Amino acid sequence: MTTATVAGISTLPNDTYDAEERDMAATVLGDALDDAAVEPGDVDGLYMPKPRPWTSQKFFSTFLTRWLGLDLDRSLEVYTGGTSGGTAFRSAVADVRSGAVDTAAVLAVERNSTVETDDYFEYILGIFDRQFQSPMGPSIPAVYAQSLQRYCYEHDVDRETIATVVEKNRRNAESNPDALFYESAAPTPAEILDSRPISDPLRLYECPAPTDGAAALILTSDGSDDVDVEVTGIGYDHPPSHLIGVRGESMSRLPAAAGGTEAALDDAGLDAEDLDVLEPYAPFPHVEAIITEEMGLFERGEGARAAADGRTATDGEIPVSPSGGCIGRGHPAMVTPLINHAEAVRQLRGTAANQIDGARSVLTTSEHGHVDGMNAAVFEVKR
Amino acid sequence: MTEIEDFAGPFWEGLNRNEFRVPSCDDCGTVVFPPGPICPECGSDELTWGEIDPVGTLHSVTQQHRTPPGFDSPIVLGMIDLDAGPRLLSPIDAEYEQLSIGDRVRIEAVDYDFAFDRGPRADDPFFTAVVVDDV
């Protein structure tokens, strides 16, 4: 099997952009190709999450293909919510491994600044069960609020402990120039719990800020000239779950997180304890905690307390979200999975904003709905 | 020509009479909700419709402050584990502050009056949960 190497990366800082999506996409793609020292004509696979429904340009990948003169053996434009970027990446890795493609470009772009809040809420209604759930008017935070409620109830975790996960990620973002909250003082747990309620008990600072963003990665079959970052594991799992969890299972459990990460670690031949860094897709603080529990890194109910005790800080035993994650960086959901991947590559190149000394393996995740399905990827450095 | 079945149709017909009608699996006994073509536990397509008593326990609860256009704010929503087996998301006709995980609730039919296009279910009632103390 051919090894997929990450030869190039590029990200735009999460922010508000007036530029059109096509120009943002072409900019990160060009920068990633430069980083990889690859010519556009070498790209034979293009993989991307379908831009959000409010993006005016449809058939985005087809448009790019002609605009940039790409001649492709494979292309994919996929939409499954927050997993989309991870699924595009997983498909690209599979095609490089199989030999179907030699140079894969994985690309994502999103502008949340162009959608009105009412229109966004109407769109979100459509992801719920149209017959049995949408008519009651639910939002995504309303679902995560209930798993948070359940997590605190079952494990006797107080809200201040949950808020320390937010505080950690906001502190990490303070020193990440790509983060929305770069150089913005992290709120204290008291300030977090005093921010306005979104869906009780979730508060504003516990929810990810929607932003604009774009990112690209170049995967090749023949490695790169200097530091080789290889994708050694990819995994996916989707138990029978759609927003209200798996039948008979508590909402405080995330079976897809266990299955997806286990599959990726098996593919890489690693155990969770072997990992040096995690960059999970965790839009709400308890999700980050539960993912670490589902991976077996902490006992059930101990994931949030681990953050409170500094065990997941940049100088802790297993740094989680050193980039700031969704909460510290802001969250363009189509782009977030690729930002996680780019942050993993930076850690392994030794160029991350919050560099973890000696990092040699990083795991990333992406999820959709209420972590109904999860992609996971393992990156390792081969020097 | 193959006839396309309205898999949840009998549920809505029952709700019009304030009956909670759902299919159950003939092979493993699983109560299927939302009503569908097969048993999601064992895959059997041998399902039989019947009425259940829609009482259950509050698995979790939230008060959602920002709501879609056409909906009142705030709304109280909960996940309810019915004694018969299924979990469902439901509005709750109660003050958020009065609710706790573990509360006993019953699902009841209510007139639907929000500005959401329910398509072919537009004229059907919807449902809400009310707290009950005696079951």
Side-chain angles (χ1 to χ4, degrees), chain A residues 150 154 239-241 244-256 294 300, chain B residues 41 59 79 81 85 87:
Chain A
R150 193 76 204 177
E154 287 178 12
S241 174
I244 59 171
V246 173
R247 189 183 177 96
E249 189 71 81
S250 169
M251 283 297 289
S252 72
R253 291 289 311 275
L254 301 176
E294 293 289 357
R300 301 221 174 272
Chain B
E41 288 294 303
H59 182 75
M79 291 185 198
D81 286 334
R87 175 178 300 159

Side-chain angles (χ1 to χ4, degrees), chain B residues 65-98:
Chain B
H65 293 269
R66 181 63 161 89
T67 50
F71 287 85
D72 296 338
S73 175
I75 53 177
V76 179
L77 301 175
M79 291 185 198
I80 294 154
D81 286 334
L82 294 175
D83 293 355
R87 175 178 300 159
L88 73 164
L89 188 66
S90 178
I92 306 178
D93 186 12
E95 295 292 322
Y96 173 73
E97 290 75 14
Q98 303 299 315

Side-chain angles (χ1 to χ4, degrees), chain A residues 18-29:
Chain A
D18 293 330
E20 287 193 56
E21 287 87 350
R22 66 175 68 191
D23 297 324
M24 295 168 69
T27 298
V28 290
L29 180 58

